[in-house]
Amino acid sequence: MTTTLYKLAERLPIKHVYGSDVAITGMEMDNRNLKQGDLFFCIPGYTVDGHTFAESAKEAGAAAIVTERRLNIGLPEIVTGSSRRAMAVLAADFYGHPSAKLTMIGVTGTNGKTSVTHYIEQLLEMRDKACGVIGTMYTRYAGKTVASANTTPESITLQKLLHNMSSAGTETVAMEVSSHALAGGRIHGTAFQTAVFTNLSQDHLDYHKDMDDYAHAKSLLFSQLGSSFNRYPLPVSVINSDDPYASVMIRASAVPVVTYGIHSEADLQASDLKLDPSGSQFRLNGFGESYPIRISLPGRFSVYNVLAAAGALYAQGIELRTIAADLENLKGVRGRFEPVESVHPVHVIVDYAHTPDSLENVLDTIKEVSTGDVITVVGCGGDRDKTKRPLMAAAAEARSSLTILTSDNPRSEDPDAILEDMKQGMSSTDFLVESDRREAIRKAILHAKAGDVVLIAGKGHETYQEINGVRTEFDDRKEAETALKEWGY
């Protein structure tokens, strides 16, 4: 794709352009990935300022730069009030506004985003509709899988992905939308047709100053749906009415709202729940219809995620009877309440739970469907919200026969310091501390008796450990399989 600097600059209301017009063949905000002819965006970051890499970008072949102050380094410059906002506008222009050619479903919330997007993908593909997903695990479309650096990509990456997805014949994109992305404007320029809210619980308070600020960031997805009412079909918000922050999202929504829930009155409601280790049964009620449902997904949280996906499809105009018929064919998502297969009578579950609320949900589900003891291996990531560390430990202790505190991507922090923070949440001394995650998993499994459940929480689908900036291969499932070979009673 090719355009010119001056043509791009026309779209920015507040700017100064210095230097001659040049051809732009690409866009980049990371000078390490820059190619000859790219437009380089100098983005002020949380730890580094992209303005300091302008000279490096010039050496790498940048055709021009977008900056928040005049740098005068011998390249054409667009100087604007916010490089990040300009980046979203210009990236959408450069890639031809691909979201307008797609049906965009954005899913936000603390927990459940990955599961909901994957359920939407599965349900649409059952109807022979080409659906892609963008999220924590990967971007997947048209038989391709692209690794994810963030839950929600930066605007340049996102617009390029959406362009590629549209070109490959993708019709619908189910996309995880993080609070960081919303607060940072990564989705500016992306036209969503449906926005889904799962829930809100403590997370990312290292980034957001408090829960109200966190909720406000989430609400931006619903306010950004727009209120012109000239789109067909009309955009719709799909909101979990059982969540305490539902009213915040409903107030923010400029378009009609479809609610879902179990306990409160909702447009889509699950009643008569029956939960067991192999799945969940409930009655799906909504819009004057009612259908019995059986899914092979255990746990109350799975019912919420299925309701969210059903609401998203209903908002797309798919009949409720069709959705209900397809729900029983849904399959679980890797690293989300995923059992580790074994010939031994001890049950091991790997789950991505990394917030107090998600850990409580997983453990409550295990307690509902199991009669044995529960042994929990749990850690907290480094360089992230420190306030949730004792809460994670307390959640595990309250619901487990034995809790083993361990490492979970300590990143640049001292693993022992993280564990000290977690220990503050423990009410007794009846727990183990093992900073070596491999050994912690081994101890948990070897401690288990027949019929017990071992939960390995925090990493889920991840296949690495990040220590001091270095990622090494580490897969909770493989470690559990190795330890299970030693098990015997």
Side-chain angles (χ1 to χ4, degrees):
M1 307 186 77
T2 304
T3 187
T4 67
L5 184 68
Y6 285 10
K7 186 173 181 60
L8 286 170
E10 289 175 359
R11 291 285 281 167
L12 300 177
I14 303 173
K15 82 278 183 183
H16 296 283
V17 184
Y18 299 93
S20 58
D21 198 10
V22 290
I24 301 298
T25 57
M27 294 184 171
E28 187 54 64
M29 62 176 287
D30 187 336
N31 66 295
R32 296 167 297 184
N33 300 329
L34 195 138
K35 303 180 296 300
Q36 189 81 26
D38 281 355
L39 177 62
F40 178 68
F41 291 85
C42 302
I43 306 296
Y46 306 112
T47 56
V48 295
D49 186 347
H51 290 78
T52 62
F53 297 103
E55 286 283 359
S56 298
K58 178 183 176 181
E59 293 173 6
I65 59 175
V66 176
T67 175
E68 294 181 2
R69 60 181 183 270
R70 183 75 195 277
L71 296 182
N72 201 20
I73 62 170
L75 283 179
E77 301 181 34
I78 297 176
V79 182
T80 186
S82 169
S83 297
R84 187 176 290 278
R85 286 183 178 273
M87 181 170 67
V89 173
L90 300 187
D93 270 4
F94 184 77
Y95 287 106
H97 299 274
S99 63
K101 306 166 190 172
L102 297 159
T103 298
M104 299 293 304
I105 303 175
V107 181
T108 197
T110 306
N111 306 312
K113 296 186 296 296
T114 299
S115 293
V116 172
T117 54
H118 280 71
Y119 296 160
I120 291 169
E121 178 194 36
Q122 289 181 43
L123 289 168
L124 286 173
E125 291 190 343
M126 289 177 199
R127 296 285 135 189
D128 295 321
K129 297 181 182 294
C131 181
V133 293
I134 298 176
T136 305
M137 295 171 63
Y138 41 64
T139 292
R140 182 168 67 190
Y141 67 98
K144 302 176 183 177
T145 301
V146 181
S148 294
N150 300 304
T151 296
T152 310
E154 288 285 356
S155 57
I156 290 177
T157 304
L158 176 57
Q159 297 303 324
K160 184 176 182 179
L161 278 173
L162 295 178
H163 168 76
N164 292 342
M165 294 170 97
S166 176
S167 299
T170 303
E171 300 170 270
T172 301
V173 175
M175 175 177 162
E176 297 181 47
V177 184
S178 69
S179 60
H180 290 70
L182 286 160
R186 295 181 202 168
I187 64 163
H188 289 171
T190 302
F192 287 93
Q193 185 66 27
T194 303
V196 180
F197 172 65
T198 59
N199 50 63
L200 198 76
S201 62
Q202 182 172 335
D203 198 16
H204 304 308
L205 294 190
D206 54 328
Y207 181 84
H208 304 287
K209 63 182 181 181
D210 53 34
M211 286 298 291
D212 286 342
D213 185 53
Y214 184 28
H216 171 71
K218 294 291 190 186
S219 75
L220 294 175
L221 179 61
F222 304 93
S223 62
Q224 289 176 30
L225 283 178
S227 56
S228 62
F229 304 145
N230 63 349
R231 292 168 61 185
Y232 184 83
L234 197 65
V236 176
S237 296
V238 179
I239 293 173
N240 177 3
S241 60
D242 284 350
D243 191 86
Y245 287 91
S247 61
V248 176
M249 309 305 154
I250 291 171
R251 284 198 305 270
S253 177
V255 298
V257 173
V258 171
T259 58
Y260 68 92
I262 296 173
H263 305 294
S264 60
E265 186 175 341
D267 297 317
L268 286 176
Q269 190 164 35
S271 63
D272 304 324
L273 268 67
K274 295 179 181 177
L275 308 175
D276 61 60
S278 62
S280 310
Q281 294 183 61
F282 60 94
R283 180 163 285 277
L284 177 63
N285 308 297
F287 307 103
E289 303 175 58
S290 182
Y291 302 98
I293 305 293
R294 167 75 193 185
I295 54 174
S296 59
L297 305 165
R300 195 176 303 269
F301 64 89
S302 293
V303 177
Y304 276 111
N305 292 338
V306 165
L307 287 174
L313 265 68
Y314 186 83
Q316 299 301 316
I318 299 177
E319 292 185 353
L320 192 59
R321 69 173 66 231
T322 299
I323 298 168
D326 291 339
L327 288 180
E328 66 180 38
N329 296 316
L330 285 176
K331 297 178 181 178
V333 180
R334 184 161 59 93
R336 271 63 177 175
F337 211 83
E338 180 181 0
V340 177
E341 293 185 8
S342 171
V343 297
H344 300 301
V346 58
H347 309 288
V348 180
I349 295 171
V350 172
D351 193 88
Y352 189 57
H354 60 288
T355 66
D357 178 63
S358 60
L359 185 59
E360 289 171 3
N361 286 338
V362 171
L363 286 168
D364 285 345
T365 295
I366 291 172
K367 298 287 281 186
E368 279 186 293
V369 301
S370 174
T371 56
D373 288 343
V374 179
I375 302 165
T376 300
V377 179
V378 62
C380 289
D383 303 330
R384 298 293 187 269
D385 181 5
K386 294 185 178 183
T387 64
K388 73 177 183 180
R389 292 173 183 173
L391 302 179
M392 291 283 288
E397 181 185 41
R399 294 162 176 79
S400 308
S401 304
L402 174 64
T403 299
I404 302 179
L405 306 181
T406 190
S407 291
D408 178 354
N409 293 338
R411 299 183 177 89
S412 68
E413 284 196 67
D414 178 356
D416 291 330
I418 297 173
L419 291 170
E420 284 300 317
D421 288 342
M422 295 188 72
K423 286 164 65 175
Q424 302 310 306
M426 305 299 283
S427 62
S428 73
T429 58
D430 190 20
F431 62 93
L432 299 179
V433 177
E434 175 54 71
S435 61
D436 184 329
R437 190 174 181 91
R438 177 175 288 108
E439 185 60 22
I441 292 171
R442 179 175 177 273
K443 284 182 178 179
I445 290 174
L446 296 185
H447 182 87
K449 307 181 300 297
D452 288 352
V453 178
V454 176
L455 172 66
I456 307 172
K459 293 179 63 61
H461 64 279
E462 293 178 352
T463 56
Y464 63 86
Q465 270 275 69
E466 185 174 341
I467 304 173
N468 292 324
V470 178
R471 289 190 175 189
T472 56
E473 185 176 337
F474 194 98
D475 189 326
D476 283 352
R477 292 159 299 183
K478 290 182 179 179
E479 298 302 329
E481 288 170 357
T482 299
L484 281 165
K485 293 175 182 176
E486 292 186 53
W487 187 88
Y489 268 92

